[in-house]
Amino acid sequence: MPAPEARPSAPLQLGTATYATDGSFAGLLCAYARAHRAGALPAEVVTAGQAAPGHLFGAPEAVETEAPLASRMEHGLERVKPGLVGKLFRAFLSERAGIEVAILQMIDAVAVDGAEAVGDWTFEPSRQVSRWAQRVGREAHRMEAFVRFERHEEGASGEWAVAEKTPSTPLAPEAPVSAGPQSLGPSPAASGGERWLARVRPEYHVLPVIAEHFALRYPALRWTILDERRRLALVHDTPAADLAPEADATRIVPASSLPDLAPTADERAYQAMWRAYFRAVDIPERRNLKLHLRHVPKRYWPQLTEKQPEVSMMALTPEADVDAEAISRTAAPKPRRAVKALGPRSRT
Amino acid sequence: MRTQVIEKLEILADAAKYDVSCASSGGERENSKTGLGNSRAMGICHTYTPDGRCVSLLKVLFSNVCIYDCAYCTTRRSNEEVVRTAFTVKEVVDLTMEFYKRNYIEGLFLSSGIFRDADTTTEKLVEVARSLRHEHQFNGYIHLKVIPGASTDLLVEAGRLADRLSVNIEIPSERSLKAVAPEKDYASVIRPMDTIREGHDEYRAERKKTKRAPRFSPGGQSTQLVVGATPEDDRTVLSLADGLYKEQKLRRVYYSGYVPISSDGRVPDPATYRQPLAREHRLYQADWLIRQYDFSLDEVLPAEQPHLDMKLDPKAAYALRFPELFPIDVNTAPMEWLQRVPGLGLKSARRIVAARRRGTVRWEHLRAMGVVLKRARYFITTPEHRPHLIGTDPGEIRRRIVGGKASGAPQLSLFGAPPPVVTPPPAAPARGRIVTPSGALAPLASAPLARAA
Ligand code: SF4
């Protein structure tokens, strides 16, 4: 915390200023230091350079991101309450309007009251931060479960294009993920290898949260998790790839920098086996669609192998030795779209 | 070859699906730089079946050829309707590796019909685990269901390779077991359990001395009880489970409502049998109270009431059996008591304790903390909320919680005759002594209170 020897005794009030940070979590921590000096919290925090239509309080004040200051604050916060930085960071990744100010208010409450402010759900910003951190955490957990990798071959054109622009991806405070320009510098031109690709559309920006999990799980595989909504990709390379040794093996890059990929020949067969397994473990007598949907919300279905229909396999894999009859016998029922859902009113 | 594997999957996954013990949790296994996978203390459900069960492991039988004839099992030798088949070791290994790399599963749960003798069968399971661990550097989760009667040497090797071992008891009393599974007895199940417990204890003790002690089933062991196939009551089921937790130090006991897969005369007739889904759910709740909330078996289910209340969760049933202990004050009650309130979980109890250090917890705060007010409202007080029903008419509370019509039968027996012997709960809220329903004064156990302070 800034100036720990002079522990503030009263919480800062919300002021009228608008702060503009670089959009990173470190930048937000620096915003707190600035607010502390100014004696009031900002009314709003925006990302510099991004049009923020209609903010009410005059020109935004630019906040410089100072990495050493941010990491000192992280240490201070972790000393007060282990796990707090991760929680603030997850809330931050919810990308919800106003979450930045709630985070600053919570940091301030911790500075005044210590660790107890964190668990105090009678304090609105605490609740906001907890709620969003929880939602982001839940989605990250779901991603860890629902990401589905497919084996791909990197095409001949598989050169890593150098990104023209640094993505505005916040850095995970403790995860070994870096999205800074330095990690994009030496572009590894490992083409023609095997790469495991997963496509996702998470509601929140969870890639920084799930990075460590997958890095620990698949250290020796080369994999990519592509967030199609944000056009960002979490990329992991094995040490064997010709990466500069000091560069991080796991990092976030813009989707535009990814090489061309094509699924390998055996991919569809394994997907068919997985679907066969999924069908076999069903107990029709116990079907409970409501419960099923609570666990596997519909929005995740497009990325789930087991929710895809069977037919494409024969069409696309010449060596697939599954006869048509077996396919039609075992094909998953087509999702039935209720035409009624649109309502007769809209037409008449 | 792939079509063949798909066919085998359909048969051998189908036959294994009724075994519910699959949660991959409780074993930490770190990955190496070049290895594949790790297993964390919290297992991940990678998908859910249409009936809402978690799928975290590739759960298959190695073979569905079986020389035994257990009435509750499709794989039994006398069942002529199933096609018999078996995987090869390589097939199971390949499926596990490929599924794991695609993030479909956390690992493998392998069990088998007894196709020759116990050792030949167990040896195949061990061979799969050996290949995964040693040839493929697989560090994901492996759960082996060992065959009753397997030799100690094989059990020891299985324990070295697997994250968890289990031996299923299946039928909650030995007499019923003998009736439906003539080749089995409790001794053949308990013996391997003993071996596993000893191996596991030894490993735990060694591990305290050196981090490099060879692993032995780090996730402990579990078992499964089938309910509904035989006539045991809930009290019998839960006290067997309670004993297993205490004596065999099992990590989990799974309760599986019998699915009528068999028209064998020794088990209920599929035409009239109804699956005990509610019962299964209540058993898990009761089990959870005993394992996580420090309830004793007698508190959850007194000996005189051998059946759980199907309409009411066991915690609410407990509170209504001891109405004089409630309501409790959320601003003063120790943690031990907060967690005994229906509608309050461990999390919301912790949140209350955190919030009241900074001020008074009021009624409007509770919902945000995750308290289920619909249930809890009768059992707690805040400065602005003072329920009276618990003191005057607990029967009415039951009617309101259960909802719908107040059909008389079950609650009358609940409050009719006070049960004669009751173990006193560990502590009462800020009262020196508590009165048990039998009217006797029980001294207040002070230890839990001291812990809460
Ligand atoms: S021994 Fe196992 S597989 Fe064989 S019939 Fe009995 S329960 Fe089924």
Side-chain angles (χ1 to χ4, degrees):
Chain A
M1 309 299 311
E5 62 281 1
R7 192 173 165 154
S9 54
L12 295 176
Q13 297 302 307
L14 285 181
T16 55
T18 295
Y19 285 180
T21 67
D22 64 355
S24 70
F25 184 67
L28 186 62
L29 293 178
C30 294
Y32 179 73
R34 184 195 181 94
H36 195 259
R37 279 197 303 276
L41 295 171
E44 196 184 6
V45 178
V46 298
T47 300
Q50 277 180 16
H55 51 82
L56 308 165
F57 308 103
E61 299 170 28
V63 175
E64 189 90 16
T65 301
E66 299 166 50
L69 172 62
S71 94
R72 273 207 309 283
M73 283 191 57
E74 277 177 14
H75 279 111
L77 290 167
E78 279 298 300
R79 246 205 325 278
V80 175
K81 173 97 185 171
L84 176 58
V85 173
K87 184 175 188 168
L88 296 174
F89 182 59
R90 283 194 302 281
F92 176 74
L93 293 177
S94 71
E95 303 173 330
R96 292 306 105 164
I99 195 69
E100 292 88 354
V101 174
I103 291 171
L104 295 182
Q105 282 177 292
M106 187 159 162
I107 293 177
D108 190 53
V110 170
V112 176
D113 285 350
E116 266 153 37
V118 178
D120 179 7
W121 278 41
T122 61
F123 178 55
E124 180 63 22
S126 281
R127 199 154 83 206
Q128 286 286 329
V129 167
S130 291
R131 173 181 310 137
W132 289 109
Q134 201 178 30
R135 289 192 181 172
V136 172
R138 189 185 307 137
E139 180 159 59
H141 190 67
R142 276 183 169 149
M143 280 298 140
E144 289 170 3
F146 296 158
V147 155
R148 294 287 181 263
F149 288 105
E150 298 180 343
R151 196 202 303 265
H152 280 68
E153 207 72 56
E154 273 175 13
S157 58
E159 300 270 313
W160 289 85
V162 181
E164 334 75 66
K165 146 176 172 293
T166 307
S168 63
T169 307
L171 307 184
E174 63 279 87
V177 176
S178 141
Q182 71 279 9
S183 67
L184 288 174
S187 62
S191 65
E194 174 185 283
R195 181 164 286 279
W196 295 86
L197 175 71
R199 298 165 199 275
V200 296
R201 298 187 79 86
E203 209 164 319
Y204 312 115
H205 183 35
V206 293
L207 292 187
V209 187
I210 63 177
E212 193 185 1
H213 169 80
F214 285 107
L216 288 174
R217 172 162 297 214
Y218 304 116
L221 298 181
R222 305 169 67 225
W223 50 263
T224 296
I225 300 172
L226 176 61
D227 179 344
E228 295 183 316
R229 194 190 291 258
R230 292 170 186 75
R231 303 295 305 154
L232 291 171
L234 181 64
V235 173
H236 175 87
D237 283 296
T238 56
D242 40 1
L243 265 179
E246 70 273 19
D248 290 307
T250 316
R251 63 214 186 283
I252 293 173
V253 301
S256 56
S257 69
L258 296 180
D260 288 341
L261 295 171
T264 54
D266 61 354
E267 178 54 36
R268 274 164 205 287
Y270 283 110
Q271 295 188 4
M273 289 182 209
W274 174 241
R275 280 190 287 268
Y277 178 71
F278 184 71
R279 284 192 302 273
V281 295
D282 181 24
I283 302 180
E285 297 93 323
R286 302 185 61 150
R287 285 243 170 108
N288 184 345
L289 194 65
K290 227 172 94 189
L291 187 62
H292 177 71
L293 285 175
R294 205 168 70 218
H295 289 309
V296 195
K298 277 238 165 96
R299 67 174 178 280
Y300 297 111
W301 287 23
Q303 78 188 59
L304 291 174
T305 310
E306 61 272 23
K307 292 291 186 190
Q308 306 314 311
E310 205 61 79
V311 276
S312 52
M313 180 171 155
M314 196 176 46
L316 293 170
T317 317
E319 72 268 44
D321 48 359
V322 179
D323 58 305
E325 201 243 339
I327 290 171
S328 59
R329 180 159 41 82
T330 52
K334 280 203 194 74
R336 213 170 286 149
R337 256 260 156 265
V339 187
K340 258 193 289 172
L342 288 171
R345 267 171 302 146
S346 57
R347 272 285 163 198
T348 51
Chain B
M1 171 267 195
R2 281 170 189 156
T3 329
Q4 222 180 34
V5 173
I6 286 184
E7 274 165 12
K8 288 184 186 179
L9 261 176
E10 278 163 356
I11 295 165
L12 295 170
D14 180 85
K17 71 187 174 190
Y18 300 105
D19 196 314
V20 288
S21 46
C22 83
S24 68
S25 60
E28 294 262 358
R29 181 177 292 274
E30 310 80 32
N31 198 356
S32 57
K33 271 250 158 54
T34 53
L36 180 72
N38 55 351
S39 74
R40 298 201 311 189
M42 278 284 286
I44 297 178
C45 293
H46 283 274
T47 191
Y48 292 83
T49 60
D51 50 273
R53 281 169 306 132
C54 158
V55 178
S56 66
L57 305 174
L58 170 63
K59 183 160 45 164
V60 289
L61 296 188
F62 186 83
S63 161
N64 69 341
V65 177
C66 191
I67 56 170
Y68 279 18
D69 200 38
C70 311
Y72 52 85
C73 175
T74 26
T75 305
R76 70 187 184 284
R77 138 192 109 218
S78 63
N79 187 358
E80 277 158 18
E81 282 160 29
V82 299
V83 181
R84 308 284 167 172
T85 184
F87 281 120
T88 64
V89 170
K90 192 175 167 306
E91 281 167 346
V92 181
V93 168
D94 184 55
L95 279 173
T96 309
M97 292 298 292
E98 294 294 327
F99 281 7
Y100 193 92
K101 285 180 186 170
R102 286 168 177 77
N103 205 39
Y104 298 163
I105 54 168
E106 290 290 279
L108 173 69
F109 176 114
L110 191 59
S111 130
S112 183
I114 305 170
F115 50 84
R116 186 120 20 95
D117 49 81
D119 272 0
T120 319
T121 309
T122 308
E123 167 58 31
K124 280 289 173 202
L125 309 185
V126 169
E127 214 179 298
V128 169
R130 205 188 288 135
S131 168
L132 280 169
R133 291 280 193 244
H134 296 157
E135 283 162 43
H136 297 273
Q137 277 80 51
F138 178 72
N139 291 311
Y141 193 85
I142 297 180
H143 181 156
L144 299 181
K145 202 169 106 183
V146 296
I147 307 299
S151 70
T152 310
D153 286 355
L154 268 176
L155 284 176
V156 169
E157 191 181 358
R160 294 261 175 268
L161 296 163
D163 292 282
R164 180 176 280 184
L165 299 178
S166 61
V167 201
N168 279 359
I169 293 191
E170 308 284 21
I171 299 300
S173 81
E174 183 156 28
R175 202 161 57 135
S176 294
L177 179 72
K178 290 254 75 159
V180 295
E183 290 95 349
K184 288 184 178 172
D185 54 37
Y186 270 23
S188 68
V189 177
I190 299 298
R191 235 178 291 115
M193 269 186 184
D194 285 338
T195 311
I196 297 167
R197 174 177 41 78
E198 282 157 21
H200 183 72
D201 285 353
E202 215 171 282
Y203 150 71
R204 295 279 292 248
E206 282 297 308
R207 187 131 170 112
K208 287 208 183 92
K209 291 181 228 150
T210 159
K211 275 273 176 218
R212 279 205 299 279
R215 290 164 183 283
F216 191 98
S217 189
Q221 58 174 325
S222 61
T223 196
Q224 166 171 285
L225 297 175
V226 176
V227 296
T230 50
E232 288 73 24
D233 59 35
D234 296 332
R235 168 92 190 178
T236 309
V237 173
L238 281 174
S239 58
L240 175 58
D242 194 43
L244 289 169
Y245 283 129
K246 290 193 179 119
E247 279 157 37
Q248 298 293 356
K249 299 191 205 138
L250 293 194
R251 276 303 172 80
R252 285 296 300 273
V253 172
Y254 294 91
Y255 307 94
S256 168
Y258 173 65
V259 181
I261 40 186
S262 154
S263 49
D264 190 296
R266 295 168 286 172
V267 284
D269 180 3
T272 53
Y273 173 82
R274 297 224 4 230
Q275 284 190 60
L277 295 185
R279 184 177 176 203
E280 188 185 299
H281 179 58
R282 296 289 180 222
L283 281 169
Y284 276 117
Q285 286 181 319
D287 180 278
W288 189 245
L289 288 185
I290 295 172
R291 280 188 306 127
Q292 299 290 320
Y293 285 73
D294 290 331
F295 279 79
S296 73
L297 173 64
D298 287 331
E299 284 169 334
V300 174
L301 203 58
E304 320 70 47
Q305 289 169 15
H307 294 285
L308 289 165
D309 189 331
M310 286 303 118
K311 293 231 174 100
L312 203 60
D313 68 277
K315 208 203 245 182
Y318 158 82
L320 293 178
R321 233 179 292 120
F322 297 90
E324 66 288 343
L325 301 176
F326 296 91
I328 72 148
D329 183 345
V330 296
N331 281 297
T332 58
M335 182 69 190
E336 276 72 11
W337 269 96
L338 289 174
Q339 71 189 42
R340 282 178 172 246
V341 174
L344 268 175
L346 292 179
K347 227 188 222 155
S348 44
R350 250 182 258 123
R351 281 184 188 140
I352 288 174
V353 172
R356 70 190 186 191
R357 289 207 192 102
R358 302 215 321 153
T360 305
V361 174
R362 300 194 170 276
W363 182 249
E364 69 265 25
H365 299 143
L366 292 175
R367 190 185 302 277
M369 292 177 183
V371 177
V372 184
L373 290 177
K374 210 176 109 202
R375 196 99 32 86
R377 60 186 314 132
Y378 309 107
F379 307 102
I380 49 172
T381 65
T382 66
E384 50 288 289
H385 173 77
R386 310 231 164 250
H388 60 88
L389 225 44
I390 189 78
T392 56
D393 190 3
E396 174 60 18
I397 296 179
R398 182 180 194 283
R399 278 188 288 279
R400 290 195 190 175
I401 293 179
V402 170
K405 62 217 171 308
S407 73
Q411 65 264 36
L412 282 181
S413 69
L414 259 180
F415 300 107
V421 196
V422 175
T423 323
R431 264 183 253 175
R433 332 189 81 183
I434 57 165
V435 186
T436 65
S438 58
L441 284 174
L444 168 65
S446 56
L449 265 180
R451 229 184 323 134

